[in-house]
Amino acid sequence: MKTIKTLSLAVSLAFAANTSAADIDITIGHVDSQDWTISKKGAATQVFKNIVEAESGGRIAVNIYPSGQLGGETELLQSTQEGMLTMTMVSGAYSKLCKEANVLEIPYLFPSAPVAWEVLDGEFGQQLNEQCLKQTGLRNLAYGETGFRHFTNSKREIKSPDDLKGLKIRVMTTPLYVELLKSLGAEPTPIAFPEVPAALTTGVIDGQENPVSVISANKFYELQEYITLDGHVYGTDFLLMNDDFYQGLSDADRAIIDRAAQVAGTVGRAVQQVNSAEGLETLGKKGMKITSLTAEQQKQFRDKTQPAVIKWLEGTVDSKWIDGALQAVETATK
C-alpha cells in the first residue's frame, strides 16, 4: 500500500510540474479541507500560494494537495524530507520527528492564545525551529494554530480533576497524552480519530478531547452532553519546507517565501479563532452543557498534570527545552 501511495504521489507531482509554465514549482500537502472558511490549513496554504505567485510575477507556482490526497501527516512529513514534496503543513505528527517540539504540549503551558503567539514567534520559538531543522532537514517557516484542546464526555460535568476519575477518554496515540490523562485518574484510550464516533456510540469510550472547532465540525454534540473548557493543550501547526529546496532559492525568492509564510501563519491562526468562537456558539445551541473553569479550578488541573508530563518529557528531551518553554511563557505573560 505504501508503494502504491508513493507511486501515486510521484505521478501527481510529475504531472503538476510538466503542466506548469513557472520557473519554480512548489508542492504543498496537508490533511485538512482546502475550504478556507472552515480550515486553518486550507486558509494558510491558499494565502501562501496567492502571495508567492503574485510577488514572484508567476515565476514561482504553488500547487496545493489538500484533504490527505498524498497521505496522512506522517507520510507527508516523510515525502517532504525526501524532497518529493516541497512543503507540508502538519500539527502533532511533527513532534515524532523532533522530540523537542513536545514541550509545546506541556499541559496548561499557555494561559492564552496571544501568549502562545508571542512565545512561538519570539526567541524560544526560533530556537526550537533551529533545533528541529538540524534533526529533520525541514525548515519551519511559520507557526499556525490548531487551538486549545478541551474535554467532552457523556457521563458528568467536569469541574475538578476528581470528576475525571474512571472516565475512559480517547486520546491520540501519543505517550504525552496518555501520561496527561493518567495523572488525572482517567483511563486514557488511544485510538485513531476516525474510530471515535463509533467508540462514543458503543460506549467503548466515555469521552474525548479536541479543539472546539473539531468537536463542532464532527457533531460530537450528538454523542456527548458535557464539555469542559479547560484548554489543557494548545495545538500548533507547522508550515514546513524541505531545507535543501529553500537553500537552493535566490535571496530574493527566499524573502518572498518568508514573507508569505508569516502572513499564512497569521491567517491560519485567525481562521482557527473564528471557527472556535462560532463552534462554541454551535455547541451551546445544540444543547451541550458548557463548563468554563475558574483560574483556581484550572490550577488544580495544572498541578496534577504538569509534574507527571514533565517527568516523562525529561526522559525524552534535554531539560533545558522544558525550562526554556516555561520561562518563555512566564516572560510573555508578564
Side-chain angles (χ1 to χ4, degrees):
M1 180 62 72
K2 186 175 181 181
T3 302
I4 294 174
K5 285 185 176 179
T6 302
L7 179 59
S8 176
L9 170 60
V11 172
S12 297
L13 299 185
F15 178 78
N18 289 335
T19 56
S20 173
D23 297 330
I24 299 172
D25 286 286
I26 291 176
T27 52
I28 306 178
H30 63 79
V31 298
D32 284 8
S33 165
Q34 194 56 26
D35 182 350
W36 71 268
T37 64
I38 61 172
S39 165
K40 72 276 184 185
K41 291 184 177 72
T45 54
Q46 187 62 49
V47 165
F48 178 84
K49 170 184 171 70
N50 292 349
I51 293 175
V52 168
E53 292 183 345
E55 289 200 8
S56 69
R59 289 185 304 101
I60 305 176
V62 179
N63 306 289
I64 303 172
Y65 294 84
S67 305
Q69 291 178 28
L70 304 181
E73 288 199 343
T74 299
E75 293 166 308
L76 291 172
L77 285 167
Q78 182 178 352
S79 295
T80 308
Q81 284 182 303
E82 294 173 351
M84 297 181 69
L85 272 172
T86 317
M87 297 178 64
T88 186
M89 193 168 194
V90 301
S91 49
Y94 189 48
S95 61
K96 295 178 181 179
L97 290 184
C98 180
K99 300 298 184 184
E100 287 78 6
N102 277 301
V103 301
L104 300 179
E105 296 186 320
I106 292 174
Y108 307 99
L109 175 66
F110 297 111
S112 68
V115 168
W117 302 336
E118 185 164 345
V119 170
L120 294 171
D121 295 341
E123 183 179 359
F124 179 80
Q126 299 316 303
Q127 290 173 347
L128 183 61
N129 281 344
E130 290 301 318
Q131 175 70 11
C132 291
L133 173 59
K134 292 176 186 176
Q135 293 187 32
T136 68
L138 299 175
R139 176 175 294 272
N140 183 36
L141 299 171
Y143 290 99
E145 175 177 288
T146 63
F148 282 103
R149 304 180 73 91
H150 309 289
F151 293 116
T152 71
N153 82 99
S154 58
K155 296 292 185 180
R156 53 183 173 265
E157 186 177 8
I158 296 172
K159 292 183 176 180
S160 73
D162 287 344
D163 294 328
L164 271 161
K165 286 183 178 178
L167 291 183
K168 294 173 289 185
I169 305 294
R170 178 268 174 181
V171 294
M172 293 185 288
T173 54
T174 304
L176 184 148
Y177 284 84
V178 172
E179 293 299 323
L180 192 162
L181 266 295
K182 284 168 61 178
S183 70
L184 292 170
E187 297 180 21
T189 308
I191 60 175
F193 184 74
E195 300 172 18
V196 173
L200 290 172
T201 301
T202 58
V204 171
I205 53 176
D206 301 311
Q208 59 86 57
E209 52 84 45
N210 258 304
V212 165
S213 58
V214 175
I215 295 167
S216 176
N218 288 274
K219 299 182 179 181
F220 287 156
Y221 49 76
E222 296 178 350
L223 304 169
Q224 303 272 266
E225 184 176 351
Y226 304 98
I227 178 170
T228 298
L229 303 178
D230 69 304
H232 47 274
V233 168
Y234 173 84
T236 304
D237 271 339
F238 303 87
L239 184 59
L240 304 166
M241 174 175 276
N242 179 289
D243 195 52
D244 287 340
F245 179 90
Y246 182 84
Q247 296 300 337
L249 297 171
S250 68
D251 289 345
D253 286 344
R254 283 201 294 266
I256 292 173
I257 296 296
D258 291 342
R259 286 196 300 272
Q262 288 303 307
V263 175
T266 301
V267 168
R269 288 171 176 173
V271 168
Q272 182 63 14
Q273 288 289 316
V274 170
N275 287 337
S276 294
E278 291 186 344
L280 191 59
E281 182 181 20
T282 297
L283 299 186
K285 288 181 177 179
K286 294 297 183 178
M288 287 195 85
K289 170 66 176 177
I290 300 173
T291 301
S292 297
L293 300 182
T294 65
E296 182 55 38
Q297 286 173 323
Q298 191 177 58
K299 183 177 183 301
Q300 295 175 22
F301 284 83
R302 183 169 60 251
D303 291 346
K304 281 274 189 180
T305 58
Q306 272 199 6
V309 170
I310 287 175
K311 182 178 180 180
W312 175 81
L313 279 172
E314 287 173 340
T316 306
V317 302
D318 191 310
S319 60
K320 71 178 183 180
W321 291 102
I322 301 170
D323 296 338
L326 295 171
Q327 182 58 55
V329 169
E330 183 179 347
T331 300
T333 304
K334 289 179 180 179

